[in-house]
Amino acid sequence: MQNDVVSREEWLEARRALLAKEKEATRLRDSVNAARLALPWVKVDKDYVFETPEGRRSLADLFNGRSQLLIYHFMLGPDWDAGCTGCSFLSDHVDGALPHLNHHDVTWVAVSRAPLDKIAAYKQRMGWQFPWVSSFGSDFNFDYHVSFSPEDLAKDEVFYNFTPMQPADANDELPGLSAFYHNDRGEIFHTYSSYARGPEELIGTLMILDRAPKGRNEDSTMNFVRRHDEYDEAPKAPSCCH
């Protein structure tokens, strides 16, 4: 299938119309970002302990001396054999950003309920460098609504992405991103969380594909994605019948 083919003048007219929409989207994004920064905060009074390669650490320790912490809720459950494909796709984009984030007073940490040895094995397989810790035995994932026990999934509904949802549409683990602030008095505040497709803008590959002639070329959200070591060695040849 191919789009209409027109003259350069007609293309320029259509492109200018699209540019107006793109500028509108940019202004809307700026407005959303400002509203995000203006969100009220919630003080974190609960003591969370995480298993890390350096031993047991508190939530405050995860900041690693910085005032801002971004936690990616990576879907890797205690009995999972491998990390979530979509979470892996997003995480492929993190390591290159780490020096910039750290220099800007932001620490990035992935958190999963899988035991530390399982996390370490998958991290090594993927070749990642970002910090990744285990919340196994902690309420952290449950309190931030990204993990659900069998009892939770047996209820009439579970709470995810700030709304009730049917357990049939849920899973024992779901993705998300949460932000925290640590002040000079040692207080920690939960400032933001985003779930489902909320963190999608962190996936640079999708932003690039959106500008390619065939876009994401997907039948459902990210159905084309594989772990980066699971793709065919050679891309498929172009086909006019695809």
Side-chain angles (χ1 to χ4, degrees):
M1 183 176 179
Q2 180 175 291
N3 290 23
D4 293 338
V5 177
V6 298
S7 68
R8 175 60 61 178
E9 290 74 19
E10 291 174 297
W11 180 89
L12 186 58
E13 181 181 356
R15 181 63 187 92
R16 284 172 174 161
L18 175 60
L19 178 60
K21 291 179 179 290
E22 289 176 334
K23 288 184 175 181
E24 181 181 355
T26 298
R27 289 190 290 268
L28 178 58
R29 182 183 65 200
D30 290 343
S31 175
V32 169
N33 287 342
R36 183 184 295 117
L37 291 176
L39 272 177
W41 296 353
V42 177
K43 188 175 180 181
V44 179
D45 291 318
K46 198 167 185 176
D47 294 326
Y48 296 106
V49 177
F50 304 86
E51 299 292 339
T52 83
E54 294 76 33
R56 292 166 66 82
R57 295 291 186 268
S58 67
L59 181 61
D61 294 329
L62 297 188
F63 283 80
N64 197 24
R66 301 181 181 92
S67 69
Q68 302 167 85
L69 174 66
L70 290 175
I71 288 183
Y72 183 66
H73 304 287
F74 194 113
M75 295 169 62
L76 180 56
D79 56 350
W80 289 33
D81 295 326
C84 160
T85 303
C87 291
S88 300
F89 186 38
L90 183 148
S91 296
D92 281 336
H93 298 77
V94 173
D95 281 347
L98 287 180
H100 307 285
L101 293 174
N102 293 346
H103 182 73
H104 210 57
D105 192 34
V106 176
T107 296
W108 174 282
V109 177
V111 173
S112 300
R113 287 187 60 240
L116 198 59
D117 58 346
K118 185 170 289 191
I119 288 174
Y122 189 66
K123 181 179 177 180
Q124 181 178 18
R125 169 187 165 183
M126 294 289 101
W128 295 325
Q129 300 299 316
F130 58 80
W132 192 354
V133 304
S134 171
S135 60
F136 186 72
S138 163
D139 293 333
F140 183 77
N141 281 46
F142 298 101
D143 289 349
Y144 287 89
H145 307 288
V146 290
S147 293
F148 304 93
S149 68
E151 291 76 19
D152 292 329
L153 296 174
K155 297 177 182 177
D156 292 335
E157 59 186 27
V158 296
F159 189 78
Y160 179 68
N161 201 17
F162 311 108
T163 188
M165 67 184 297
Q166 295 298 311
D169 298 324
N171 195 28
D172 57 337
E173 306 290 336
L174 289 173
L177 178 76
S178 292
F180 300 87
Y181 180 74
H182 191 197
N183 67 18
D184 293 337
R185 294 188 298 275
E187 298 170 311
I188 297 176
F189 301 90
H190 175 218
T191 66
Y192 177 74
S193 282
S194 181
Y195 304 99
R197 291 184 63 183
E200 187 174 272
E201 289 186 345
L202 279 62
I203 306 177
T205 301
L206 293 181
M207 305 301 110
I208 295 171
L209 286 175
D210 286 342
R211 286 140 179 92
K214 291 164 63 174
R216 302 186 187 185
N217 196 26
E218 57 188 7
D219 298 320
S220 58
T221 303
M222 296 198 307
N223 73 316
F224 63 92
V225 174
R226 305 291 182 269
R227 298 177 184 88
H228 62 241
D229 62 354
E230 294 177 342
Y231 286 109
D232 295 337
E233 290 186 5
K236 295 180 179 178
S239 171
C240 63
C241 300
H242 180 65

